[in-house]
Every structure is written in structure tokens, then in C-alpha cells.
Amino acid sequence: MNFPQDFTWGVATSSYQIEGGHDADGKGPSIWDAFSRIPGRIHAGDTGDVACDHFHRFREDVAMMARLGIPAYRFSISWPRLMPTGRVDDRGTINPEGIRFYDQLIDTLLEHGIEPWVTLYHWDLPLALQTERDGWLNPSIADDFTAYARLCFQSFGDRVKHWITFNEPWVVAILGYGQGVFAPGRTSTSEPYTAGHHILRSHAKAVRCYREEFAHHGGRIGITNNCDWREPLTGKPEDRAAAERALEFYLGWFADPVFKSGDYPPVMRERVGDRLPHFTEAERAELSGSSDFFGLNHYTTMFAAEASRDSGKQSVYGNGGISEDQDVDLSVDPSWPLTHFQWAVVPWGCRKLLRWIADRYGNPPLYITENGCALEDVVSPDGSVDDPDRIDFYQGYLAACHEALGDGVDLRGYFAWSLMDNMEWASGYKFRFGLVHIDRETLARTPKHSALWYGGVARHNALPGT
Ligand code: GBH
């Protein structure tokens, strides 16, 4: 099973989840540094203070990627490492040591022939922007984000040719401002829509800055959204409509404004009413077409059905807000295998989602910027980590990607989540998503069997045994 000739193969990480060095060399605190210190917010009281200590071990990590044969690496920049207060004005300055760290990381990657894909925002907002300015609820954050983005383009744009503005706005909005299980821990039925709105405005403004001021770099810039597939529970029209509505509330919320109309899906306008902000004419124009590619993080699938009024409604998002707005019952098939995170392994859902995106958005160039699974990996007495279930997971999802290519989907690349076991947000170090095992005591790196397998896929540009 060969993939197209110039297919991009990569692995992904994010700054807070791997770097550590939380206060090293002038870095300011992020909302995750603060959130992780609140008792009860993170599993077992874990923090990202040290994480994988990638901040000090990045050379070893890049050399390891090169040995495995990984051609592309998606990582994120920590905004408060570059701007300790998030701003450059009377309230803050640039941290040259932060610039130096990413300079060295990028140079080391390029020396090893690894292409950097840089995410600007993977959730670690400078804490001062939260405490002083209300984070993503404040319209002015679009200016702050654009100033930060400009600094990144200026500093690294000569070498970085692939930029991703935001990782998963849905997670920031729903888990950060709706359920409150992620930083900043807000619980509201309206704030998710406000936060999401200003994330989209910030994205569009930063992209405009890149296109207007840095076109000579010849790079590409886009946004990454997350979406899990919603399969109609039955063939009944109500259940089909429920699945479609669930996808519109999940992915359409952030993708329609960028890849379609410059505005939210009509079904959200109908159901969310006054809580869904409006874009100005100028903002709609700036948003529409503001991504050179469609970044997708995909993990699992659920059934969707018309919500039943009487039976106890199952909701993965908690009550109120988006779950009532979309009004869909979600469930899983008990026969589907589950990962350690209890997410179901359903490769055909990936194929269907890719087709849905291609149909709805005119077949844009698509990159899966995250896909992977958490498993309970153990180190054998001989020091190796045998993880056949992870290899099966990747085999299944990559076969689904290959089928999607056959369906005509313009899939250009795939990034495995994650390079190494890391700080899994509210779950701390409980879940291991890595291709590389991290010993929590010694921080020793051990490539799992899946890492060797995945390196082979990348080198041969093909799935083995098929
Ligand atoms: C990503 O988010 C993050 O980008 C990354 O930092 C993180 O480490 C990684 O995933 C693993 O968690 O019941 O069908 O809605 C994942 C976003 C949203 C994916 C919720 C799974 C739950 C399944 N997740 N979704 S469903």
C-alpha cells in the first residue's frame, strides 16, 4: 500500500507536554503552570514543570527522531517562553533566551534533515494575559496573538515553512471555558462561544500578517481542528440529522468560517442564539480562505442519535451549553476495542470523516496533524517495549487514510501523536501516547516497537504487509 510520492510523514508534540523548564532562562508562567498547581485539577497532582525535560534534552530527541527515520516534526512554541507576560509594550518584553531555544531546536532539526512544522498556540497562554486581560474572552487578544505570531515569523520564518496558528480551538473553548476541566478552568454555557470567536479572529489576523509581511518566505500557514466521527445510530432521518448536526457543532463551528462562508453553520445560529457572537463584514472577509491547508486531529468515533427526552442522556461534554445546544445522544458500540483512555478504535470512522471534510469544504489539501492512542505500555526485562496494539492502531488508521486517498480525498500528510509519552493535560502522566517510552524516574527514552514500525512506514512511504 503505497502513499503518494510527496506524502509528509511526521510525529507531533506540544510545548507544555514535553518541554519542562517551566521557569528556565526567563520563561514566564502559562495558564497551565498555574492550573496544574490547583489541588485536584490534574491527576495525581502532576505538573509539566519537568515533563520530558525536552528543553534540556532536545538534541538527544532530535537525533533519536533522525535515527528512527522521521522526516517531519510538528511541535509548538511556548508563547510565555518568548514573551513572559504575553506582550511587548509597557507591560512586557521579549525573552531572548526563549528565541535562542527555538533557534537551536529548528537548526538541529534541519541539520538532521527533519522538516519543522510549528504550531503557535497549543494551549499554554501566558498567565498574565489571563489574569490581566481575561484570556480568549477579550477581543483585544487578537492583537496580542498577532504580535506574538509576527515575532515567530520574524525570528524563525527563514527556516520554518509550515505554520499552524491554533491547535484545536474546540478543546480550548469547550474544555477550558465550558467544562472547566482544562485551563483556565471556566464553566460557562456562553463563554465557549466567545472564546472560540476570538480564537478565530486571532487566527485570521495572524494569517493576514503572515501573507502581507512574510510572503517572501514562501511558507504555508493554516489551522488545526479536532474532530471525532459521528455515525448515525440508525438509518432514521432524525438520527442522520443528529449526526450531521453533531459534526457541524464539532468541526463546522471552526471550519465553516475559514473554509466555507466566513460564518458559523446556520444550525448553530438557530440553536445558540444570542450566545453566538457575530463577525463584522471585514472579519468574514479576513476569515474566509484564511488557511492554506486543512489540519485535522482525529482520535475516535461515536454513534449519534436524536436526543431522547425521557431516558438519561449520555453526554461526554457535561450538561448545559454545547451538549444541550446540539441536543444529540452519543454512544459507542460495546464491541469496539478501547484504548487506555477509553476511546474506541474505529478506523472506518476516519475514512468517513475525511470524505465528509472533502465534500463539505471542496476537497482542500488535508493533513492529519494528530492521530494515535494511549496504551498501558510496559518495559520488558530485556529493556524493550512491545506494543503490538499500537502498531495495529496505526496500521488500521493508516489503511483508512489510504482508502480515503482512493476515494479522492486530497490527503497530503500524517503526523503520529505522539513522539514520546508526555504530560497528558488533566490526566497528568497516567496515559502513554508515545512512540517512544519515557521512564518517569530517569526520563530515559526507549523507542517502542511501534516507533521502529512507524519509522519503516515513513522510510518506505508504504504500509507493510498489505
Ligand atoms: C489532542 O486533543 C491534543 O491536541 C493533544 O495535546 C493531546 O495530548 C492528545 O489529543 C491526546 O489527548 O467522545 O468522541 O468526543 C484531543 C482532543 C477531544 C479527542 C475529545 C477525543 C473525545 C472523544 N480530544 N475526544 S469523543
Side-chain angles (χ1 to χ4, degrees):
M1 237 184 242
N2 288 302
F3 281 75
Q5 196 136 56
D6 43 7
F7 198 80
T8 299
W9 293 102
V11 296
T13 63
S14 88
S15 45
Y16 183 69
Q17 294 180 272
I18 66 163
E19 282 180 4
H22 71 108
D23 61 357
D25 299 348
K27 177 182 169 290
S30 79
I31 55 174
W32 274 93
D33 290 314
F35 191 71
S36 66
R37 281 171 172 69
I38 301 173
R41 291 290 180 270
I42 313 284
H43 171 78
D46 291 338
T47 74
D49 288 5
V50 177
C52 305
D53 199 29
H54 173 75
F55 183 70
H56 297 108
R57 300 176 192 225
F58 72 92
R59 289 181 202 282
E60 176 192 343
D61 292 336
V62 172
M64 178 175 69
M65 267 188 275
R67 274 198 306 279
L68 290 169
I70 307 297
Y73 177 48
R74 171 178 178 243
F75 63 94
S76 77
I77 292 179
S78 159
W79 183 349
R81 202 180 284 292
L82 295 195
M83 295 177 167
T85 66
R87 296 158 73 185
V88 184
D89 53 17
D90 57 328
R91 305 284 285 171
T93 55
I94 293 169
N95 175 31
E97 291 295 294
I99 308 257
R100 206 167 68 95
F101 169 68
Y102 293 108
D103 264 336
Q104 290 178 344
L105 171 60
I106 291 163
D107 288 344
T108 308
L109 287 165
L110 293 173
E111 281 159 21
H112 285 81
I114 301 172
E115 189 185 14
W117 285 59
V118 176
T119 307
L120 294 174
Y121 189 77
H122 201 127
W123 312 349
D124 44 357
L125 187 75
L127 180 60
L129 288 181
Q130 190 70 49
T131 55
E132 297 167 11
R133 319 266 289 178
D134 289 338
W136 297 106
L137 299 179
N138 189 332
S140 73
I141 198 162
D143 297 317
D144 297 322
F145 180 75
T146 304
Y148 158 64
R150 181 180 286 110
L151 174 66
C152 293
F153 303 149
Q154 268 162 359
S155 306
F156 315 120
D158 55 337
R159 288 154 292 158
V160 173
K161 301 301 167 193
H162 293 94
W163 296 96
I164 294 168
T165 53
F166 285 88
N167 180 69
E168 304 187 347
W170 183 96
V171 167
V172 177
I174 295 299
L175 303 189
Y177 288 83
Q179 278 193 32
V181 295
F182 280 11
R186 308 277 305 171
T187 52
S188 162
T189 56
S190 61
E191 286 178 5
Y193 298 111
T194 311
H197 192 72
H198 297 312
I199 288 174
L200 280 165
R201 289 180 51 252
S202 302
H203 155 80
K205 205 172 156 77
V207 169
R208 180 177 186 163
C209 163
Y210 186 70
R211 289 178 178 169
E212 285 183 358
E213 298 171 35
F214 301 94
H216 58 282
H217 285 160
R220 296 189 308 153
I221 186 164
I223 188 167
T224 275
N225 284 298
N226 59 301
C227 192
D228 302 303
W229 177 246
R230 301 302 186 226
E231 177 73 9
L233 180 63
T234 74
K236 284 194 281 186
E238 310 85 277
D239 290 345
R240 288 178 180 281
E244 189 70 9
R245 190 163 71 244
L247 290 166
E248 290 177 316
F249 266 87
Y250 204 160
L251 185 56
W253 178 6
F254 294 102
D256 277 23
V258 172
F259 296 94
K260 212 172 150 76
S261 55
D263 201 2
Y264 299 115
V267 70
M268 290 187 70
R269 285 254 167 256
E270 280 158 33
R271 287 170 174 252
V272 182
D274 291 349
R275 287 171 297 135
L276 191 64
H278 290 269
F279 296 111
T280 65
E281 198 64 50
E283 285 170 342
R284 277 212 295 279
E286 195 166 272
L287 265 166
S288 154
S290 62
S291 193
D292 296 330
F293 53 85
F294 198 108
L296 175 72
N297 293 352
H298 175 73
Y299 284 91
T300 185
T301 284
M302 288 184 113
F303 283 125
E306 171 75 6
S308 49
R309 301 272 148 238
D310 26 278
S311 72
K313 180 155 84 178
Q314 184 189 348
S315 166
V316 286
Y317 311 133
N319 291 315
I322 195 166
S323 67
E324 274 169 26
D325 295 335
Q326 67 176 20
D327 213 21
V328 173
D329 280 353
L330 298 171
S331 58
V332 295
D333 187 322
S335 74
W336 291 340
L338 299 178
T339 65
H340 191 199
F341 218 132
Q342 306 305 315
W343 297 344
V345 182
V346 191
W348 55 258
C350 180
R351 178 184 183 177
K352 289 195 178 188
L353 176 59
L354 291 171
R355 188 67 245 174
W356 189 86
I357 293 168
D359 288 344
R360 188 175 180 92
Y361 301 111
N363 208 8
L366 228 153
Y367 292 86
I368 292 188
T369 43
E370 284 180 29
N371 175 234
C373 62
L375 295 171
E376 292 178 272
D377 303 303
V378 287
V379 185
S380 310
D382 69 359
S384 68
V385 182
D386 190 17
D387 56 345
D389 291 348
R390 184 172 285 101
I391 295 177
D392 282 353
F393 179 97
Y394 281 120
Q395 174 82 42
Y397 276 84
L398 284 170
C401 289
H402 196 267
E403 285 164 0
L405 282 162
D407 297 338
V409 172
D410 189 10
L411 182 66
R412 307 267 180 104
Y414 178 96
F415 291 77
W417 183 271
S418 176
L419 168 63
M420 52 189 157
D421 297 337
N422 58 48
M423 206 296 179
E424 180 50 39
W425 306 110
S427 307
Y429 298 98
K430 181 173 172 194
F431 296 121
R432 295 182 175 275
F433 273 92
L435 292 169
V436 173
H437 180 273
I438 301 282
D439 182 309
R440 285 311 317 158
E441 298 299 316
T442 63
L443 301 183
R445 278 86 164 127
T446 307
K448 303 174 190 177
H449 287 173
S450 58
L452 309 175
W453 179 89
Y454 185 69
V457 171
R459 276 195 305 274
H460 299 298
N461 196 31
L463 275 183
T466 47

